[in-house]
Amino acid sequence: MKKYRCMPCGYVYDPASGDDVGGFAPGTAFEDLPADWQCPICSVGKDEFEPIEE
């Protein structure tokens, strides 16, 4: 699964870690996060994230 970076603050959503702040378990793909999910650091929406090429 791809990681995604928040363009404004640099937070990286890693599906292997999930989002414990938002209550999403490890293994949750970015695409499976709800449309209203927000960055746990700066609160922007999913549309402000870009995939990280590894």
Side-chain angles (χ1 to χ4, degrees):
M1 288 187 272
K2 281 189 174 182
K3 295 178 183 178
Y4 284 77
R5 177 183 298 116
C6 178
M7 292 182 285
C9 78
Y11 167 79
V12 174
Y13 177 77
D14 182 353
S17 301
D19 172 17
D20 55 346
V21 173
F24 295 96
T28 303
F30 185 80
E31 295 82 3
D32 294 335
L33 294 170
D36 63 349
W37 180 82
Q38 297 178 329
C39 174
I41 304 299
C42 70
S43 301
V44 298
K46 286 177 70 174
D47 60 332
E48 295 288 328
F49 279 72
E50 64 184 358
I52 297 173
E53 299 298 327
E54 293 186 7

